Amino acid sequence: VRLWSGISGVWRLTLRGHRDVVLCVAFSPDGLNLISASRDRSARLWSTGNFGGCLSVFLGHSAAVTSAAFAPSAQQVVTSSEDGSV
């Protein structure tokens, strides 16, 4: 996942960790984190700070994770998968 400045168009950082195609990304309501969903059957929580570290890896789906979103409070995330689960 690459994070770009929306104002200048300058590349800020690359978030590495998924082992297959990333299908979805979403920012937390406060913009401090983002979640990514991948064909590698995982979702990852990332910091959007200068170093862009992976904060958590969510496993449990048996097929590609196709979408991910934050709750309005940013205290929970939800994922869905090609395995039919949410």
Side-chain angles (χ1 to χ4, degrees):
V1 174
R2 285 196 175 190
L3 187 62
W4 304 81
S5 168
I7 296 170
S8 67
V10 173
W11 165 75
R12 285 192 47 221
L13 56 95
T14 300
L15 306 173
R16 299 184 189 279
H18 284 294
R19 295 183 178 185
D20 206 335
V21 175
V22 173
L23 301 172
C24 175
V25 295
F27 278 95
S28 61
D30 61 11
L32 298 177
N33 299 302
L34 64 85
I35 185 124
S36 57
S38 173
R39 192 168 284 157
D40 69 6
R41 302 182 304 190
S42 75
R44 293 176 181 258
L45 179 66
W46 306 91
S47 167
T48 59
N50 291 337
F51 299 105
C54 182
L55 302 173
S56 190
V57 178
F58 303 98
L59 303 171
H61 290 292
S62 62
V65 182
T66 54
S67 65
F70 283 90
S73 67
Q75 297 300 307
Q76 295 178 313
V77 295
V78 62
T79 60
S80 65
S81 170
E82 287 180 348
D83 66 14
S85 67
V86 176

